[in-house]
Amino acid sequence: MPLTLDKTDREIIRALKADGRMPFSAIAAQMSVSPGMIRQRVQRLQDGGVLQFVAVTHPLKTGYHTMALIGVKADGHRLQEIARQIAAFEEVIYLAITAGTYNFLVEVTCVDNAHLLRFLTEQLYGVEGVREAETFIYLDIVKEIYAWDPPASTAEEGTTPS
Amino acid sequence: MPLTLDKTDREIIRALKADGRMPFSAIAAQMSVSPGMIRQRVQRLQDGGVLQFVAVTHPLKTGYHTMALIGVKADGHRLQEIARQIAAFEEVIYLAITAGTYNFLVEVTCVDNAHLLRFLTEQLYGVEGVREAETFIYLDIVKEIYAWDPPASTAEEGTTPS
Amino acid sequence: MPLTLDKTDREIIRALKADGRMPFSAIAAQMSVSPGMIRQRVQRLQDGGVLQFVAVTHPLKTGYHTMALIGVKADGHRLQEIARQIAAFEEVIYLAITAGTYNFLVEVTCVDNAHLLRFLTEQLYGVEGVREAETFIYLDIVKEIYAWDPPASTAEEGTTPS
Amino acid sequence: MPLTLDKTDREIIRALKADGRMPFSAIAAQMSVSPGMIRQRVQRLQDGGVLQFVAVTHPLKTGYHTMALIGVKADGHRLQEIARQIAAFEEVIYLAITAGTYNFLVEVTCVDNAHLLRFLTEQLYGVEGVREAETFIYLDIVKEIYAWDPPASTAEEGTTPS
Amino acid sequence: MPLTLDKTDREIIRALKADGRMPFSAIAAQMSVSPGMIRQRVQRLQDGGVLQFVAVTHPLKTGYHTMALIGVKADGHRLQEIARQIAAFEEVIYLAITAGTYNFLVEVTCVDNAHLLRFLTEQLYGVEGVREAETFIYLDIVKEIYAWDPPASTAEEGTTPS
Amino acid sequence: MPLTLDKTDREIIRALKADGRMPFSAIAAQMSVSPGMIRQRVQRLQDGGVLQFVAVTHPLKTGYHTMALIGVKADGHRLQEIARQIAAFEEVIYLAITAGTYNFLVEVTCVDNAHLLRFLTEQLYGVEGVREAETFIYLDIVKEIYAWDPPASTAEEGTTPS
Amino acid sequence: MPLTLDKTDREIIRALKADGRMPFSAIAAQMSVSPGMIRQRVQRLQDGGVLQFVAVTHPLKTGYHTMALIGVKADGHRLQEIARQIAAFEEVIYLAITAGTYNFLVEVTCVDNAHLLRFLTEQLYGVEGVREAETFIYLDIVKEIYAWDPPASTAEEGTTPS
Amino acid sequence: MPLTLDKTDREIIRALKADGRMPFSAIAAQMSVSPGMIRQRVQRLQDGGVLQFVAVTHPLKTGYHTMALIGVKADGHRLQEIARQIAAFEEVIYLAITAGTYNFLVEVTCVDNAHLLRFLTEQLYGVEGVREAETFIYLDIVKEIYAWDPPASTAEEGTTPS
């Protein structure tokens, strides 16, 4: 059952979206509340699975020059098992099961095209039940965000938990 | 020109992958170096665009029940401009320009299917130059990571910067 | 051999299209004939397979939030057997064998996307001979009718049966 | 906000699925309750949009020999308006807006192939904004149902309304 | 309204399938009837549109080295007009309006690939409303027949017309 | 090695295109030559495989209401054998091996849609090595010719053979 | 009208396939004929358009890291003009007009993916009449040859020209 | 590690692009340097894999009338092995492994369509692991070049090697 998020929660999320390591004291000062309250709220959001803090590395700057999304068709009656096997590969940073033309959408980061080819033939196609894979190589990434405001309808003012 | 990453950089990245708010003192203790050195290294990685710290919110737990990837075909000679307009929509959390069947792959989070339909008709298709859009609704997300180890070849031992 | 439908039959069908439980006496009054005649005609239409009366439930209002049409490609020489097996699943409310890209079009109602995923992997893909399935999730239903007027050419005035 | 359905509601729905004109007294006898209670319950289900009673005509027996599903691609920013125009045609008995390859799925009943061709060229393609249409002619209809049991999770025993 | 064909008609058709210029006297002798009766029957079949006699030329032997089927997508609301314009080209020997991926299937005979290219660019694509054309060049023709036996159900013995 | 066709040959072909049973004497009169010469020329064209005379039956008028082209994908290394097996079916009136999306294009005439479905499941899909079939049902036939003029380049005036 | 190639021509072609700058004296010694004869023959093959000598540069070794084949759909009635415009771009090293799904197949060499993206948006899509382009990025080149033996049937021994 | 190319290298490449057998003395005269220097530079470019000299034969003029590109889908985990087997066929002049709809793009030259059909069924489809092949027959070749200027960024003036 999802947490109910109030106005304070949303302000905290908004602050941390910009800088995931912003000190709680700074957020507290901004919002004119006590740092302890911020800490308590953040803990509640983390415990409820609403929020997590991650370090994001930049593919190009860490030596990964080829990124791609791969649409995969696989044996339908073993979809979840096949998904887990593909997800276990180091090159895979994202895997969604989808409705539509493909069974999976798999995002990968590779050092270069030769690495991508090795990944496809030696790893992805080596998973039993993978039947077809269409690879969309990225030419440019225009937007990438990690957090966003909860929709208005889920934030009911006045029901702050503490 | 990408930074050269040494063994220390890679250990720091590995520690922060798991917890983006891990105190530098804790990392320092783990690695038996001074917290100041960790702070210096992290600063260098951030300045070099290698690393950033973000808060990640969970779509389902914040009231977003429909996620989808949308493959978009658009007027080719205005690709970058169209990409920027689509990227500006709040529902869009990821947009890559790709080689292959589609010009863009656009990831969106919506409150529900009705919201997705409104997004498609009122926003995405409203952008001049968008011609066709194929929507792949997510049935499950099996993997999602934000940071990964730099490939071995870029980490040259013994050339630590400080 | 199809029944010949006259003007009276068509008026009765038109009345019942709007309300499947309309009392025969009300229809009779509207048409200035005896209720017995209406009853007799309706019986003849039902016996001839022209008309049936059904209760229709509303998916959303009964807890089904995900409807989809699934295009299925299957082993051709066992089409009818495979069709029967798929049709036996509770989630399936419509199945047509078609000419074109797919062998079957299958309409399903599911509680939510997770249910749809379970249906696909555990049931549909579990049927031997199912090879590929493309799922079109409904974003909105704009029209749905159950009865319509017979085409003019089949209704020959003056040949009323009783 | 959907009605909560209890065990009694589900039994009534199950009875009417089989015969939409079954007298309430017969259902009441079957369930050992008063006919008035059945009437009251059915009224509540109808008022809540859960249930409706319709007459269903059989296409083949009423002179319609060609049924088809048409996948339509249309101008995205006018989807809903175009959908309404198509839905207004007499031949159209079902229209859903979908995610995936097509914008709409449109089910039609026609007297014969020549009628279908006239429908396509004179009506469907005549709607401004319709760009492409792929027609899947039915070779056989294997299953078609109109009502189904609400999922277990929405039926909470003991919270009967009256 | 189609003619009713009896056993005699079918024998005559079978004889002429093999040799369209077979003398009526030879058919009459084979069937032990009078030549006049054969002539009468053939006339009736021709007048009824059941049978025609044609000379068939062999593409390869008359200098046509490239045959192809072209799937055409065209503006839907002018389908029949566009079909007529395409049908008027000399290279076109067959044109059917179809349900499915294409609006038309067009069979052409060309002298060589260069002729086919000229036909496509200067003629087919020159027709206003033609939007896309996919060309399937023939590598071999394995079967081609012009006449076949009427299905058993339409041949009712004993109802011979004369 | 193809025959060389001269002006006379082409006039004869043109005359017979319109009526495959036109008496040689009539053609001779039209062209102011002797009937014997026409007979000789026609014989040479038939012997050379340039010309044949066939009776063509009309599908609709002989009880065949469903015509379709079927694009077939089959096991590539047995293409010719599979083609021969499919060509042997009575319903098949044309079969070409093609370059492009499909391996074969197969034209069939069936009594009705139910017959087409039986043909697909019991015959076509029953051939070992047939993998996929996409069926394009004809809505209308706009043009169908059997003979056409040889291209100018193959007709060299002055080299008449007799 | 193509040259007739004899056994000597074919031996010369075979020798030059391996090394396009092989001295004529070396070929002559190998074949035990005079260098003048080799020179004469090569001149005749060059004049007849059978043979040309080119320097081939290696994309990767000259700084081109992204090669791709692009399938292009374009306005049909201007195909040849559009082809000429695309062929004029520096990045294009090969352009064929084809039958099938695409109108053109265009091979390009680019410095990197960013260059490819600029080529697509600023050049290819800037050509009026280009409608759609699907890009297939090369992951590896396994074979590439420039000359091959003439087929046996065109080489008639004993008809050497000099 | 690629060679660094200077202005002199690029001038030499430009000269040889036009005529692969141009004498080094002629290039030297043009550039006002010694023939020995040209010879040395060319040798270095050849040794470094930057440049090769080939004889190119013209398909049409050597009796090859059917050229095609074939998109092949094959068993993914054996891609490289399958690629090598296909590349070994004489008809294959180019084979690239690609990202996208097909696993390979294979260019072939055949004597005629019948030869292409034999190649497909007896050779290509005979390779174990080849699953699907789509053939695009060439109607015209508009551009074909073999060498091109290195991109500006790789040519650094003043770092000539000798």
Side-chain angles (χ1 to χ4, degrees), chain A residues 72-77 79 82 86 103-104 129-132, chain C residues 125 131:
Chain A
V72 176
K73 295 185 184 180
D75 287 352
H77 64 288
L79 273 194
I82 297 170
I86 296 175
N103 296 116
F104 310 132
V130 167
R131 292 200 307 206
E132 231 170 287
Chain C
Y125 281 119
R131 291 200 308 206

Coordinates of all heavy atoms in Angstrom, one line a residue, chain A residues 72-77 79 82 86 103-104 129-132, chain C residues 125 131:
Chain A
V72 N 13.8 -7.6 -27.6 CA 14.0 -9.1 -27.6 C 12.7 -9.8 -27.7 O 11.7 -9.5 -27.1 CB 14.7 -9.5 -26.4 CG1 14.9 -11.1 -26.3 CG2 16.1 -8.9 -26.2
K73 N 12.6 -10.8 -28.7 CA 11.5 -11.8 -28.7 C 12.0 -13.1 -28.1 O 13.0 -13.6 -28.5 CB 11.0 -12.0 -30.1 CG 10.4 -10.7 -30.7 CD 9.8 -11.1 -32.1 CE 9.3 -9.8 -32.8 NZ 8.7 -10.1 -34.1
A74 N 11.2 -13.6 -27.2 CA 11.7 -14.8 -26.5 C 10.6 -15.8 -26.3 O 9.4 -15.5 -26.6 CB 12.3 -14.5 -25.2
D75 N 10.9 -17.0 -26.0 CA 9.9 -18.1 -25.7 C 9.0 -17.6 -24.6 O 9.4 -17.4 -23.5 CB 10.5 -19.4 -25.3 CG 11.2 -20.0 -26.5 OD1 11.0 -19.6 -27.6 OD2 11.9 -21.0 -26.3
G76 N 7.7 -17.5 -25.0 CA 6.7 -16.8 -24.1 C 6.5 -17.5 -22.7 O 6.3 -16.9 -21.7
H77 N 6.5 -18.8 -22.7 CA 6.1 -19.5 -21.5 C 7.3 -19.5 -20.5 O 7.1 -20.0 -19.4 CB 5.7 -20.9 -21.8 CG 6.7 -21.8 -22.4 ND1 7.2 -21.6 -23.6 CD2 7.4 -22.8 -21.8 CE1 8.1 -22.5 -23.9 NE2 8.3 -23.2 -22.8
L79 N 9.2 -16.5 -20.1 CA 9.6 -15.1 -20.1 C 10.3 -14.6 -18.9 O 11.4 -14.0 -19.0 CB 8.3 -14.2 -20.3 CG 7.8 -13.9 -21.7 CD1 6.8 -12.8 -21.7 CD2 9.0 -13.6 -22.7
I82 N 13.8 -16.2 -18.5 CA 14.7 -15.6 -19.5 C 15.1 -14.2 -19.1 O 16.3 -13.8 -19.2 CB 14.1 -15.7 -20.9 CG1 13.8 -17.1 -21.3 CG2 15.0 -15.0 -21.9 CD1 13.0 -17.3 -22.5
I86 N 19.0 -12.7 -18.6 CA 19.5 -11.5 -19.3 C 19.9 -10.4 -18.4 O 20.9 -9.8 -18.5 CB 18.5 -11.0 -20.4 CG1 18.2 -12.1 -21.4 CG2 19.0 -9.7 -21.1 CD1 17.1 -11.7 -22.4
N103 N 9.1 -8.8 -26.4 CA 8.8 -9.3 -25.1 C 9.6 -8.5 -24.0 O 9.1 -8.2 -23.0 CB 9.1 -10.8 -24.9 CG 8.3 -11.6 -25.8 OD1 8.8 -12.3 -26.7 ND2 7.0 -11.6 -25.6
F104 N 10.8 -8.1 -24.4 CA 11.7 -7.3 -23.5 C 12.2 -6.1 -24.2 O 12.5 -6.2 -25.4 CB 12.9 -8.1 -23.0 CG 12.6 -9.5 -22.5 CD1 13.4 -10.6 -22.9 CD2 11.6 -9.7 -21.6 CE1 13.1 -11.8 -22.4 CE2 11.3 -11.0 -21.0 CZ 12.1 -12.0 -21.5
G129 N 16.1 -19.8 -25.3 CA 14.7 -19.2 -25.4 C 14.7 -17.8 -26.0 O 13.7 -17.3 -26.4
V130 N 15.9 -17.2 -26.2 CA 16.0 -15.9 -26.9 C 15.9 -16.2 -28.4 O 16.6 -17.0 -28.9 CB 17.3 -15.2 -26.6 CG1 17.5 -14.0 -27.6 CG2 17.3 -14.6 -25.2
R131 N 14.9 -15.6 -29.1 CA 14.7 -16.0 -30.5 C 15.1 -14.9 -31.5 O 15.6 -15.2 -32.5 CB 13.2 -16.3 -30.7 CG 12.9 -17.6 -30.0 CD 11.7 -18.2 -30.5 NE 10.6 -17.2 -30.5 CZ 9.3 -17.5 -30.5 NH1 8.9 -18.7 -30.4 NH2 8.4 -16.5 -30.5
E132 N 14.8 -13.7 -31.1 CA 15.2 -12.6 -32.1 C 15.5 -11.4 -31.3 O 14.9 -11.1 -30.2 CB 14.0 -12.3 -33.0 CG 14.3 -12.3 -34.4 CD 13.0 -12.3 -35.3 OE1 12.3 -13.3 -35.4 OE2 12.8 -11.2 -35.9
Chain C
Y125 N 1.1 -18.4 -23.7 CA 2.3 -19.0 -24.3 C 2.5 -20.5 -23.9 O 3.3 -21.2 -24.4 CB 3.5 -18.2 -23.8 CG 3.7 -16.9 -24.6 CD1 3.7 -15.7 -23.9 CD2 4.0 -16.9 -26.0 CE1 3.9 -14.5 -24.6 CE2 4.2 -15.7 -26.6 CZ 4.2 -14.5 -26.0 OH 4.4 -13.4 -26.7
R131 N 3.2 -19.3 -31.2 CA 4.6 -18.9 -31.6 C 4.9 -17.5 -31.2 O 6.0 -17.2 -30.8 CB 4.9 -19.2 -33.0 CG 4.9 -20.7 -33.3 CD 5.6 -21.0 -34.5 NE 5.0 -20.2 -35.6 CZ 5.0 -20.6 -36.9 NH1 5.6 -21.7 -37.2 NH2 4.5 -19.8 -37.8

